[in-house]
């Protein structure tokens, strides 16, 4: 089903029927037993919208998979088993978590794919608190698009005081009229353009709409964790008059500040908000994606019951920051990376999978559309030529320059970076992130300390772009 303007207006006019926030299963029992958590990737049938059930792939029988929830300082022990059809290998990447390289879940780079019928034990210390997620890194443009993902929350040792906490896992699916997925994963037309967009946007595995959401009492304080798992859809968030405070980007604390209007939550990104419900009994606030047509994601309604308190909690909402090494900007080595290509531009190619290649061959022969510093690689090719080599402990300033007509949410594994400048203008909060949006013809300057040993992926989180060449590695030695 496609989302028409009429549906949106209809939804907007609908009364406040009871709101249902689809609850997510969660897994946290491991701590009590000491046994590893088990995540099993396999086929799932699930109704994303009323009517036909869709054949999907999920973890532990659901899409999204269970919310993993542990505490900072604990050690995660997770046994991932592969029950996917058609003999297809998989891995799990713990997006945003600063894990030892061998636990990063990247096929060909950090491990061999887990074959069908086999399993792999991941074990890593949880060095950061925050909102993270997990997903396969093998054929991620297909495996993530089919539903293999879930949220991974690491609690602070001293959390902020809230009355309630919710996790909204947003995603999208491209369905045929019969409810089954369109089988065009990684198709050539999506690789070099805006990626593969779904036609059904979901919140916690159910189609979004005015009836999704939650009800707050006046004065109630909510911590809302948002995660965009879509392979390509960029969400432009609007809270319809509520004024959420941003307290973390990609899991890392940021100075609390009002969420800027039209905030872009790109694929892979997370956002932690604190919302103090106004004392406005019966009022409803639409949470929307205003990027394309305008789409209601959910409703936050204020209950008609007596307010929980008559003024907002006085407790501070600033999260305690994690221990991230501060880059020394005076001593930092300076680097740049240029993105080129896409259907509206042309790739500037020197190397394909590490070998010199004529420009004329890149699209036709190699089915690649993008280059990063004149290199393009097939997803996890064995021939990866690192984009950069850093010494362990080196402070690095990296300027990303986007010469294409498309946005690219760029993600670095194993590290967080400070965002210093966007389009050459200093950022007000110099926030830490693991994924940053680089606008068309724009630039972003980041800085970090390369302190995690190993070979790490650096790629666009529009997963079709990653498959189309925007995937490379950075070595810390
Ligand atoms: Cu969310 Cu390299 O991945
Ligand atoms: Cu991209």
């Amino acid at each position: 089903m496609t989302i028409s303007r009429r549906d949106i207006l209809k939804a907007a006019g609908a009364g406040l029927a009871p709101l249902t926030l689809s609850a997510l299963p969660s897994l946290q029992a491991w701590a009590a037993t000491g046994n590893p958590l088990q995540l099993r990737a396999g086929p799932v049938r699930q109704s994303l919208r009323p009517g036909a059930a869709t054949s999907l792939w999920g973890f532990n029988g659901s899409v999204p998979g269970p919310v993993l929830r542990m505490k900072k300082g604990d050690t995660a022990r997770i046994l991932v088993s592969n029950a996917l059809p058609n003999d297809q290998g998989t891995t799990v990447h713990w997006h945003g978590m600063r894990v030892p390289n061998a636990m990063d879940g990247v096929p060909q780079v950090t491990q061999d794919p887990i074959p069908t019928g086999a399993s792999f034990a991941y074990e890593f210390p949880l060095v950061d608190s925050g909102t993270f997620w997990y997903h396969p890194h093998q054929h991620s443009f297909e495996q993530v698009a089919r539903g293999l993902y879930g949220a991974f929350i690491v609690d602070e040792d001293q959390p902020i005081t809230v009355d309630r906490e919710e996790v909204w896992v947003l995603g999208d699916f491209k369905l045929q009229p019969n409810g089954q997925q369109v089988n065009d994963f990684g198709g050539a037309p999506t690789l070099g353009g805006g990626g593969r967009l779904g036609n059904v946007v979901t919140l916690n595995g159910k189609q979004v709409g005015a009836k999704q959401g939650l009800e707050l009492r006046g004065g109630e304080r909510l911590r809302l964790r948002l995660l965009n798992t879509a392979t390509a859809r960029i969400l432009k968030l609007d809270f319809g008059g509520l004024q959420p405070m941003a307290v973390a980007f990609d899991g890392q604390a940021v100075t609390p500040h009002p969420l800027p209007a039209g905030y872009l939550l790109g694929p892979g990104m997370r956002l932690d908000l604190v919302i103090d419900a106004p004392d406005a009994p019966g009022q409803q606030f639409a949470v929307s994606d205003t990027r394309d047509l305008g789409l209601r994601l959910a409703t936050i309604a204020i209950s008609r019951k007596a307010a929980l308190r008559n003024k907002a909690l006085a407790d501070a909402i600033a999260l305690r920051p994690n221990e991230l090494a501060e880059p020394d900007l005076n001593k930092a080595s300076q680097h740049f990376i240029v993105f080129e290509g896409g259907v509206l531009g042309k790739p500037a190619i020197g190397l394909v999978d590490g070998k010199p290649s004529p420009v004329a061959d890149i699209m036709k022969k190699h089915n690649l559309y993008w280059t990063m510093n004149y290199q393009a690689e097939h997803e996890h090719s064995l021939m990866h030529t690192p984009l950069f080599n850093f010494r362990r402990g080196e402070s690095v300033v990296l300027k990303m320059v986007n010469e294409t007509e498309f946005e690219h949410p760029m993600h670095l594994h194993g590290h967080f970076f400070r965002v210093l400048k966007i389009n050459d203008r200093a950022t007000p909060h110099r926030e830490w992130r693991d994924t940053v949006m680089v606008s068309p013809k724009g630039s972003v300057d980041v800085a970090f300390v390369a302190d995690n040993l190993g070979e790490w992926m650096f790629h666009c989180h529009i997963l079709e772009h990653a498959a189309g060449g925007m995937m490379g590695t950075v070595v810390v030695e």
Side-chain angles (χ1 to χ4, degrees), residues 93 95 133 135 137 411 413 457 459 461:
H93 168 58
H95 182 126
W133 66 300
H135 64 79
H137 225 282
H411 172 45
H413 286 209
M457 303 309 297
H459 65 90
H461 221 287

Short mmCIF file of all heavy atoms in Angstrom, two decimals, residues 93 95 133 135 137 411 413 457 459 461, ligand 1:
data_model
loop_
_atom_site.label_atom_id
_atom_site.label_comp_id
_atom_site.label_asym_id
_atom_site.label_seq_id
_atom_site.Cartn_x
_atom_site.Cartn_y
_atom_site.Cartn_z
N HIS A 93 26.46 -7.06 13.74
CA HIS A 93 27.26 -5.89 14.09
C HIS A 93 26.53 -5.12 15.17
O HIS A 93 25.32 -4.93 15.10
CB HIS A 93 27.45 -5.02 12.83
CG HIS A 93 28.02 -3.66 13.12
ND1 HIS A 93 29.23 -3.50 13.76
CD2 HIS A 93 27.54 -2.41 12.89
CE1 HIS A 93 29.48 -2.19 13.89
NE2 HIS A 93 28.47 -1.51 13.37
N HIS A 95 25.97 -1.91 16.36
CA HIS A 95 26.18 -0.56 15.82
C HIS A 95 26.37 0.47 16.94
O HIS A 95 25.49 0.68 17.76
CB HIS A 95 24.98 -0.18 14.93
CG HIS A 95 25.11 1.17 14.29
ND1 HIS A 95 24.98 1.37 12.94
CD2 HIS A 95 25.34 2.40 14.82
CE1 HIS A 95 25.14 2.65 12.67
NE2 HIS A 95 25.36 3.29 13.80
N TRP A 133 22.18 -0.32 18.54
CA TRP A 133 21.33 -1.32 17.87
C TRP A 133 22.18 -2.41 17.26
O TRP A 133 23.41 -2.28 17.23
CB TRP A 133 20.37 -0.67 16.89
CG TRP A 133 20.88 0.02 15.67
CD1 TRP A 133 21.72 1.08 15.62
CD2 TRP A 133 20.55 -0.28 14.31
NE1 TRP A 133 21.91 1.47 14.31
CE2 TRP A 133 21.22 0.65 13.48
CE3 TRP A 133 19.73 -1.25 13.69
CZ2 TRP A 133 21.10 0.64 12.08
CZ3 TRP A 133 19.61 -1.24 12.31
CH2 TRP A 133 20.28 -0.32 11.52
N HIS A 135 22.46 -5.37 13.99
CA HIS A 135 21.95 -5.78 12.68
C HIS A 135 23.04 -6.55 11.96
O HIS A 135 24.23 -6.39 12.26
CB HIS A 135 21.50 -4.55 11.88
CG HIS A 135 22.60 -3.57 11.53
ND1 HIS A 135 23.49 -3.78 10.49
CD2 HIS A 135 22.97 -2.39 12.09
CE1 HIS A 135 24.33 -2.76 10.42
NE2 HIS A 135 24.06 -1.90 11.38
N HIS A 137 25.79 -7.51 9.12
CA HIS A 137 26.60 -6.71 8.20
C HIS A 137 26.83 -7.46 6.90
O HIS A 137 27.52 -6.99 6.00
CB HIS A 137 27.94 -6.34 8.84
CG HIS A 137 28.31 -4.90 8.63
ND1 HIS A 137 28.83 -4.43 7.45
CD2 HIS A 137 28.21 -3.82 9.45
CE1 HIS A 137 29.04 -3.13 7.56
NE2 HIS A 137 28.67 -2.74 8.76
N HIS A 411 29.01 6.47 8.60
CA HIS A 411 29.17 5.75 9.88
C HIS A 411 30.57 5.17 9.99
O HIS A 411 31.06 4.52 9.07
CB HIS A 411 28.12 4.62 9.92
CG HIS A 411 28.27 3.68 11.07
ND1 HIS A 411 28.51 4.10 12.37
CD2 HIS A 411 28.21 2.32 11.15
CE1 HIS A 411 28.59 3.04 13.17
NE2 HIS A 411 28.42 1.95 12.46
N HIS A 413 32.93 2.64 12.36
CA HIS A 413 32.86 1.59 13.39
C HIS A 413 33.94 1.78 14.46
O HIS A 413 35.00 2.33 14.19
CB HIS A 413 33.10 0.22 12.75
CG HIS A 413 31.96 -0.31 11.93
ND1 HIS A 413 31.73 -1.66 11.78
CD2 HIS A 413 30.99 0.30 11.22
CE1 HIS A 413 30.68 -1.85 11.00
NE2 HIS A 413 30.20 -0.67 10.64
N MET A 457 35.19 -0.54 9.58
CA MET A 457 34.43 -0.06 8.42
C MET A 457 34.15 1.43 8.57
O MET A 457 33.90 1.94 9.66
CB MET A 457 33.07 -0.77 8.32
CG MET A 457 33.10 -2.26 8.25
SD MET A 457 34.19 -2.91 7.00
CE MET A 457 33.44 -2.26 5.52
N HIS A 459 31.51 3.69 6.28
CA HIS A 459 30.61 3.53 5.14
C HIS A 459 29.37 4.39 5.26
O HIS A 459 29.04 4.89 6.34
CB HIS A 459 30.21 2.06 4.97
CG HIS A 459 29.39 1.48 6.09
ND1 HIS A 459 28.02 1.51 6.12
CD2 HIS A 459 29.77 0.86 7.24
CE1 HIS A 459 27.58 0.90 7.22
NE2 HIS A 459 28.61 0.51 7.93
N HIS A 461 25.48 4.74 5.59
CA HIS A 461 24.46 3.86 6.17
C HIS A 461 23.19 3.83 5.34
O HIS A 461 22.20 3.21 5.73
CB HIS A 461 24.18 4.19 7.63
CG HIS A 461 24.02 2.95 8.46
ND1 HIS A 461 22.91 2.14 8.39
CD2 HIS A 461 24.86 2.35 9.33
CE1 HIS A 461 23.06 1.12 9.21
NE2 HIS A 461 24.24 1.21 9.80
CU1 LIG B 1 24.98 -0.02 11.32
CU2 LIG B 1 28.48 -0.75 9.45
O1 LIG B 1 26.69 -0.45 10.38
#
